[in-house]
Amino acid sequence: SQPLRAWDAVTPNFGPEWRSTTGRKDRPPSCMLMEVRADAITPYQYLSSLDNSTTEHYRYSPLSPHGPHSEPPLPWNAVLEPGDARAEPWTYYEDRQVALVELHNVTQGSYACANGGRC
């Protein structure tokens, strides 16, 4: 346990001088959406494609692939049938999870080794 560990929210670098490095032109929000692989195991909360809700907090969140359907339908859903200005393919696969993330600077606090101080 590290009771003196500190973590502070950090704003990612942005603006004209950082755009070529970070790709950010404007100040980003503190909580952002990040796409991760469909099989990634992370400590983040995930966004559900069905109803735009979030998963609970877990040490390691269960997999929550972002699918093509939602109620009500949203503009980013997969196109599954022909229609005006729509082209094939009509198939899809869940290729990502959408995580809610925040950038923090974590400073390690003091800690004690187990085994009588012999690390």
Side-chain angles (χ1 to χ4, degrees):
S1 170
Q2 296 180 2
L4 299 179
R5 180 177 62 188
W7 58 87
D8 301 310
V10 177
T11 301
N13 294 325
F14 66 96
E17 64 276 10
W18 290 100
R19 189 161 186 193
S20 64
T21 304
T22 66
R24 298 191 176 277
K25 179 176 98 174
D26 302 317
R27 180 186 179 94
S30 61
C31 185
M32 298 175 280
L33 298 177
M34 180 175 73
E35 291 184 358
V36 296
R37 292 178 7 180
D39 61 349
I41 298 173
T42 71
Y44 306 124
Q45 283 186 289
Y46 293 122
L47 193 62
S48 168
S49 60
L50 295 176
D51 59 2
N52 225 24
S53 64
T54 57
T55 60
E56 299 292 322
H57 289 281
Y58 292 95
R59 183 177 184 126
Y60 297 106
S61 294
L63 298 179
S64 181
H66 205 75
H69 303 289
S70 67
E71 275 307 318
L74 298 168
W76 54 82
N77 288 359
V79 176
L80 302 175
E81 58 190 32
D84 292 338
R86 294 183 177 174
E88 293 187 58
W90 309 120
T91 59
Y92 71 92
Y93 61 97
E94 296 171 337
D95 62 346
R96 66 187 178 273
Q97 299 179 94
V98 179
L100 300 170
V101 299
E102 186 174 35
L103 182 62
H104 282 257
N105 180 22
V106 180
T107 305
Q108 182 172 313
S110 58
Y111 63 94
C113 296
N115 303 323
R118 293 184 301 273
C119 298

